[in-house]
Amino acid sequence: MKLKKLAQLMALIGVVSPALAQEAAPQSLQRVEVTGSSIKRVANEGALPVQIISYDQIEKQGITSAEQLLSIISSNGTGADNMTSGNNVFGADADRVSGGASFASLRGLGPNSTLVLLNGRRIATHGASGKAVDLNSIPMGAIARVEILKDGASAIYGTDAIGGVINFILKTNYNGLEVSGTTNSTQAGGGMQRRASLLAGHGNLEEDRYNIMVSLTADNDDKLSSNQRKFANGFQPGRGLSPDTTGTPYANQLTGAGTALGTSFTVPGSTNQYLQANPLSFQGKCDTVAGMSQYQTALWSKVTSPLRSTYSCAYDYGGDYVISFPVERVNLLSRGTFKLAADHTMFVELLGSRTKATAEFTPMQIQATAANGGLYPVGGAYYQDLSAYISTFDKTKPISYKWRANDFGNRTQENTTDNIRLLVGFEGTLGRWDYKAGVSHAESKTNTKLTDGYAYTAALFPALASGIINPWVGPGQTQTDAAKALIESTKFRGDFQHGKTTLTGIDGSLSGEVMQLPAGPLSAAVGFDLRRESYAFGQDIDATTVYLSPGNAALDKASRNVKAVYAELLVPIVKDLEMQLALRRDDYSLVGATTNPKVSFRYQPASWLLFRGSANKGFLAPSFTQLYSGQLYQELSSGVIDTVGCARHPGDPAFCAPARLNYFSGGNPNLKPETSKQGSLGMVIEPFKGYSASLDYWAINSKDRILNRSATIVLQNAALLPQYIIRNPDDTINYVQGGWINAAGSRTRGADLSLRGEGKVNGFKWNATLDGTWTQSFKFAEIAGQEYKEYVGNFYTRDLYLRWKHNATFSLSRGDWSGLLAQKYSSGYKDQVPNGGALPYPVGFNPDVSSYTTYSLSGTYTGFKNTTITVGIQNLFDRDPPFTAHNVDDVVGAGWDPRVADPRGRALSFQVKYKFL
């Protein structure tokens, strides 16, 4: 069977063969029409829904990264897998080693459940986290198109694709030289983006029997800080939002045995035993220090004890986040294709990339206590006497305090990730059969350096106890030169941690027509996929020596072999009715073997009408990190309550208002694989030439879902998880054990809508598209045995499951001119309720987060010889992100949510592309 017939076969079953990705440009265009990207597509629409996005569409919408591309794919989740949300160390599923990486999450099922491919083949996962492919490693300058298979558990690519498959198809067989430059600048400042790219190729595969192609792309993104955007404001108490932290640049004093405040204190007119104090709070002057405010006790009374907060100041560290950090990316693709014989082709492909992301967190929050030796000494130059406010204040004793140490600088990490893949492939025909085979090796290495804001624990607390450093720097004041020198002497700078993943694979397939049946030919495909995967993560220094050190515990190199075989049959049942029967067996050396079927159908009773559907099973093995990462010591970031202990010891601050709680997180070698059952049923119509619509209903049920059990979730479910709360002999909490578990399953269902239209009016050619996803339900339980809870339209700390998302475009062209108007829409949802969800709502709090709609407009001119100029405006109407009162400890953002909105605001993009003949 010739390659053209194989293209038709794969189009019919709705799965894109990697071999087809290697076709020359004209053939690729034809295949894109077959798989469903053009208007005249119904006759060749497949049994599975595949969305195609061309590189031209990507460029004209001002998209310069794969992460931005994912934001316009409605079937992708609305989660914390983007670079901004990932710049966090707190939250239920925070990835402390993502290192500026960005991940895909189709259907909101998580990066592990989405298979990201390059020309139909796997690439190495991110070197630091090891969980999924970092989208920064995708060479966007060499992309021809992107294909999104929205039906999961692919029989060809792998049954671990529970959420679906995203296949980036690269340019091939290019002949010529092309250079381009792109800038994208924001109107409000910050976040500037630049790109330069080169694409060169020589030789024609058919005429010269070879083609050599090279693509080089360099990107540079500037930092964008919260102080550059008015909406990034975590202190809006009139709307139910205020920071829940007493770690302030002008430190709050703490109680403790042997300290100036003693174990507690009282104030005139009250018998309450208070636990923290700040003179600015007593004076009503917390807001005289930048970023600080009076702690809004009423907003957090159920989360942080009023005994701790009433006379304390708070700090809007959420409004002090770096919204997006500086990123430098370089991607290189080189490919040589050689025609060995009339029906046999060989290619060698080398892909390399380097991403350097400089992540910044807010300065350290330091708690100076007798236990760590950091108390401020009596007689120190900045000793703060509170006798005027607290009659029991003992100025013969040192001071315990909590301090946001701004003078140490932002905690800054330089994360450098290098990716490389070498692939040798063969394609051709043997008689009536088409074959393809490949051998590849891929690596991803990430190195993290700490460049500022971190200190050696052993040096930090003696420096604080010296009295030279001032924790109470007032307005207009600065640290002395001696204090600055002492601060600098405590800092750690240098290599901190590193990770590496590898993927070595051999794959092959054979496909062709087996026999002729009354309704048509019976076609078959068989294939294999052999992989060896490994992951290692380690520290360059002892991480315990650095105060509040980031990252995960070390994991010695772990490897596993994966052996997979699959077979498919395309069976014509009767005229216009075809069935695809597929079976795949995967064998993981450390997890076990699994066999999963897939059945789909395609029925076209008329030229303008098609029905399709599928049913299949999925299998997702735990990642190396989930299984084997070491135990990491951490500290909860904000005030918490030991609900069980407080019930047993009512009124005791040690249980009802603990100063802090320690916890451990890490891997779980007893994890079981996550399994799924899923299916889809849809129809496609083309009632008139140039107009078509498709609607596909999908459902996914998973079992033994692998989730990171945070300390907060354990505490919220203390009665169900007492084994994870480790107590001291006096019943106080020693630490909470967190980490990865097999939680209850999940059930999600919804529908994808696709509309297409095109035509000509008065010499103008127009084209309109809409791709949208309606999520009917997403239910799961945090802990096995609990009742499933509905999350669609409700705030959640990992993902937001929005009811409706879509991306719509309208283009118009005539002669050398063309224009594109694009709309991106996300529906609103119920906000996180302040004060731990306690009712009634605070006055001024709106529980509904509004929908978010942005437009982009671009124009392209090709009238100059060999030159293409594109000018675009993103966020045309400068729409601010919708307000949300969520607590920044759960999700990055203060007053806004980066999972939904783009913080850059209105931006102008300009691109010039020149082709040398």
Side-chain angles (χ1 to χ4, degrees):
M1 185 176 68
K2 299 300 182 182
L3 190 59
K4 182 177 180 181
K5 292 183 179 179
L6 178 61
Q8 294 170 345
L9 166 65
M10 290 302 181
L12 288 173
I13 64 176
V15 180
V16 181
S17 167
L20 299 179
Q22 318 305 329
E23 296 181 26
Q27 292 171 310
S28 295
L29 290 175
Q30 181 181 0
R31 190 182 71 80
V32 170
E33 291 183 359
V34 169
T35 53
S37 69
S38 67
I39 300 301
K40 301 174 182 179
R41 61 180 186 162
V42 173
N44 294 304
E45 185 73 29
L48 304 178
V50 179
Q51 180 183 354
I52 311 296
I53 302 176
S54 70
Y55 188 66
D56 183 66
Q57 293 172 308
I58 293 171
E59 282 192 314
K60 289 181 177 180
Q61 293 191 56
I63 294 171
T64 59
S65 69
E67 176 176 294
Q68 291 176 333
L69 172 66
L70 265 292
S71 72
I72 69 167
I73 298 175
S74 62
S75 57
N76 193 59
T78 310
D81 302 303
N82 57 76
M83 296 178 71
T84 299
S85 296
N87 190 29
N88 193 15
V89 296
F90 307 125
D93 230 0
D95 185 350
R96 294 167 58 89
V97 293
S98 62
S102 176
F103 305 102
S105 176
L106 290 177
R107 305 299 185 205
L109 292 172
N112 293 48
S113 298
T114 298
L115 192 52
V116 175
L117 303 172
L118 206 59
N119 279 355
R121 286 184 167 94
R122 296 177 184 245
I123 54 180
T125 57
H126 184 237
S129 69
K131 67 181 181 182
V133 172
D134 176 14
L135 297 176
N136 287 301
S137 67
I138 303 298
M140 291 297 292
I143 293 295
R145 64 188 179 277
V146 182
E147 301 174 348
I148 302 98
L149 175 61
K150 299 181 181 181
D151 182 86
S154 169
I156 288 183
Y157 299 129
T159 48
D160 52 346
I162 293 176
V165 179
I166 301 177
N167 194 6
F168 291 88
I169 305 298
L170 302 178
K171 296 182 176 75
T172 59
N173 201 24
Y174 179 82
N175 199 338
L177 176 63
E178 174 184 302
V179 295
S180 66
T182 304
T183 61
N184 191 299
S185 56
T186 62
Q187 179 178 322
M192 178 77 169
Q193 299 173 346
R194 308 169 189 83
R195 163 176 287 181
S197 64
L198 168 71
L199 178 64
H202 180 69
N204 183 283
L205 193 59
E206 297 301 323
E207 297 176 2
D208 304 319
R209 304 180 67 84
Y210 76 90
N211 177 261
I212 305 296
M213 189 190 77
V214 176
S215 171
L216 179 64
T217 304
D219 295 273
N220 189 302
D221 298 346
D222 289 348
K223 180 170 74 172
L224 176 61
S225 299
S226 291
N227 58 22
Q228 295 176 284
R229 296 294 182 267
K230 293 181 180 179
F231 58 78
N233 176 10
F235 183 69
Q236 301 183 55
R239 305 172 80 175
L241 174 63
S242 73
D244 174 29
T245 179
T246 55
T248 50
Y250 192 92
N252 286 295
Q253 289 196 27
L254 307 178
T255 52
T259 67
L261 283 179
T263 56
S264 64
F265 65 90
T266 60
V267 296
S270 175
T271 60
N272 290 333
Q273 301 292 314
Y274 293 101
L275 304 172
Q276 287 186 191
N278 193 307
L280 297 181
S281 176
F282 283 107
Q283 300 170 36
K285 295 182 179 180
C286 288
D287 58 0
T288 59
V289 177
M292 283 177 44
S293 59
Q294 175 61 45
Y295 190 98
Q296 302 298 297
T297 298
L299 283 180
W300 295 107
S301 61
K302 302 299 182 182
V303 177
T304 298
S305 171
L307 300 178
R308 190 167 298 284
S309 63
T310 299
Y311 294 105
S312 296
C313 296
Y315 178 59
D316 182 16
Y317 64 102
D320 200 23
Y321 263 88
V322 172
I323 292 178
S324 60
F325 37 81
V327 179
E328 298 175 11
R329 286 184 298 267
V330 177
N331 285 279
L332 171 68
L333 169 70
S334 59
R335 178 186 175 95
T337 309
F338 310 95
K339 202 171 187 65
L340 304 178
D343 295 325
H344 302 281
T345 302
M346 171 188 175
F347 64 90
V348 180
E349 185 177 279
L350 178 64
L351 175 69
S353 69
R354 165 166 285 194
T355 301
K356 184 169 76 172
T358 305
E360 292 187 35
F361 302 96
T362 51
M364 295 183 296
Q365 181 176 259
I366 298 172
Q367 193 155 308
T369 65
N372 58 36
L375 299 178
Y376 194 85
V378 175
Y382 310 107
Y383 189 88
Q384 191 179 69
D385 186 358
L386 299 187
S387 299
Y389 311 101
I390 302 170
S391 61
T392 57
F393 187 87
D394 187 350
K395 56 187 175 183
T396 67
K397 300 274 192 329
I399 298 173
S400 176
Y401 59 91
K402 184 183 287 187
W403 181 39
R404 177 69 65 171
N406 286 4
D407 295 301
F408 280 76
N410 282 349
R411 289 169 286 174
T412 307
Q413 307 171 16
E414 183 182 280
N415 302 283
T416 302
T417 300
D418 294 314
N419 293 277
I420 189 168
R421 186 184 77 165
L422 177 63
L423 167 66
V424 179
F426 299 87
E427 300 169 356
T429 60
L430 295 170
R432 296 185 302 117
W433 297 88
D434 292 289
Y435 74 87
K436 65 181 181 68
V439 179
S440 64
H441 179 77
E443 295 183 357
S444 179
K445 300 178 182 178
T446 298
N447 181 71
T448 298
K449 294 182 178 180
L450 304 186
T451 59
D452 199 15
Y454 291 95
Y456 286 104
T457 304
L460 172 63
F461 289 104
L464 296 177
S466 70
I468 297 173
I469 298 172
N470 182 9
W472 300 286
V473 175
Q477 298 177 338
T478 60
Q479 298 283 353
T480 64
D481 290 340
K484 293 177 182 178
L486 183 57
I487 288 172
E488 187 63 30
S489 71
T490 70
K491 289 186 178 181
F492 168 77
R493 289 187 172 95
D495 291 334
F496 180 69
Q497 61 192 15
H498 56 273
K500 179 181 178 180
T501 64
T502 65
L503 174 64
T504 302
I506 303 175
D507 66 85
S509 69
L510 195 65
S511 59
E513 293 181 3
V514 178
M515 60 183 296
Q516 189 72 26
L517 297 178
L522 171 68
S523 300
V526 294
F528 69 91
D529 180 11
L530 307 178
R531 308 191 305 275
R532 182 167 178 82
E533 305 170 343
S534 72
Y535 174 60
F537 185 84
Q539 274 85 30
D540 298 293
I541 67 161
D542 181 358
T544 62
T545 63
V546 178
Y547 187 65
L548 297 180
S549 61
N552 289 343
L555 181 145
D556 293 334
K557 184 177 180 179
S559 301
R560 67 184 177 195
N561 297 321
V562 184
K563 296 176 287 186
V565 292
Y566 62 88
E568 296 182 70
L569 286 176
L570 187 65
V571 185
I573 307 300
V574 295
K575 183 182 180 181
D576 301 323
L577 174 62
E578 297 165 331
M579 296 286 295
Q580 178 204 1
L581 307 175
L583 192 69
R584 182 184 179 99
R585 180 171 176 81
D586 296 90
D587 189 348
Y588 290 79
S589 60
L590 299 178
V591 179
T594 177
T595 301
N596 296 283
K598 181 165 188 162
V599 179
S600 61
F601 77 91
R602 176 188 186 277
Y603 176 53
Q604 188 172 354
S607 61
W608 57 272
L609 178 64
L610 179 145
F611 297 97
R612 62 189 177 189
S614 71
N616 51 82
K617 295 174 66 177
F619 176 92
L620 176 62
S623 70
F624 291 117
T625 301
Q626 293 166 344
L627 287 169
Y628 305 122
S629 61
Q631 296 293 300
L632 181 70
Y633 171 85
Q634 296 170 258
E635 179 183 318
L636 280 175
S637 59
S638 60
V640 293
I641 295 176
D642 174 11
T643 54
V644 172
C646 187
R648 290 198 290 250
H649 307 270
D652 189 337
F655 299 90
C656 304
R660 62 178 183 176
L661 282 180
N662 302 323
Y663 72 99
F664 286 87
S665 62
N668 180 355
N670 298 316
L671 287 174
K672 296 183 293 185
E674 180 178 331
T675 58
S676 68
K677 295 180 180 180
Q678 54 222 83
S680 64
L681 185 64
M683 64 180 297
V684 187
I685 61 171
E686 187 181 24
F688 308 103
K689 183 180 179 180
Y691 296 84
S692 67
S694 68
L695 181 66
D696 293 276
Y697 186 82
W698 48 266
I700 305 171
N701 293 344
S702 71
K703 182 181 178 182
D704 296 321
R705 194 173 183 217
I706 301 172
L707 296 178
N708 195 352
R709 181 189 59 247
S710 72
T712 301
I713 292 174
V714 172
L715 288 168
Q716 290 172 348
N717 298 276
L720 293 174
L721 300 171
Q723 68 272 32
Y724 298 111
I725 301 175
I726 313 305
R727 296 185 178 274
N728 297 308
D730 63 357
D731 205 28
T732 58
I733 293 178
N734 185 354
Y735 66 91
V736 178
Q737 179 63 59
W740 296 97
I741 64 166
N742 285 111
S746 65
R747 295 192 292 265
T748 181
R749 52 244 324 109
D752 293 320
L753 174 67
S754 178
L755 304 176
R756 298 289 186 269
E758 67 176 8
K760 291 183 178 180
V761 178
N762 296 328
F764 288 91
K765 182 179 179 180
W766 64 270
N767 186 290
T769 71
L770 183 145
D771 289 287
T773 296
W774 172 72
T775 304
Q776 179 186 14
S777 176
F778 199 116
K779 293 182 178 180
F780 66 90
E782 289 282 4
I783 309 297
Q786 288 183 337
E787 183 179 353
Y788 277 40
K789 181 180 178 181
E790 179 63 72
Y791 285 90
V792 170
N794 297 307
F795 177 87
Y796 190 54
T797 54
R798 278 192 292 270
D799 286 79
L800 292 172
Y801 302 100
L802 303 182
R803 183 70 67 187
W804 174 258
K805 294 168 60 179
H806 76 246
N807 189 69
T809 65
F810 179 80
S811 63
L812 197 64
S813 62
R814 181 177 181 179
D816 296 327
W817 293 91
S818 65
L820 176 71
L821 176 66
Q823 181 201 58
K824 186 169 67 172
Y825 173 85
S826 298
S827 61
Y829 57 95
K830 294 294 182 182
D831 204 359
Q832 182 182 35
V833 180
N835 205 13
L839 297 177
Y841 294 149
V843 176
F845 170 70
N846 183 352
D848 296 311
V849 178
S850 65
S851 61
Y852 182 63
T853 307
T854 58
Y855 295 85
S856 64
L857 178 66
S858 68
T860 300
Y861 180 67
T862 58
F864 299 118
K865 184 178 180 180
N866 304 330
T867 304
T868 301
I869 300 174
T870 300
V871 179
I873 302 176
Q874 290 76 50
N875 198 346
L876 183 63
F877 300 108
D878 201 20
R879 171 74 187 275
D880 280 344
F883 173 80
T884 168
H886 76 254
N887 180 13
V888 71
D889 281 342
D890 294 325
V891 178
V892 169
W896 71 290
D897 197 321
R899 297 175 296 175
V900 173
D902 182 358
R904 301 179 75 245
R906 184 185 290 128
L908 174 68
S909 62
F910 181 79
Q911 181 190 70
V912 177
K913 183 186 299 183
Y914 185 81
K915 294 183 179 181
F916 297 86
L917 296 181

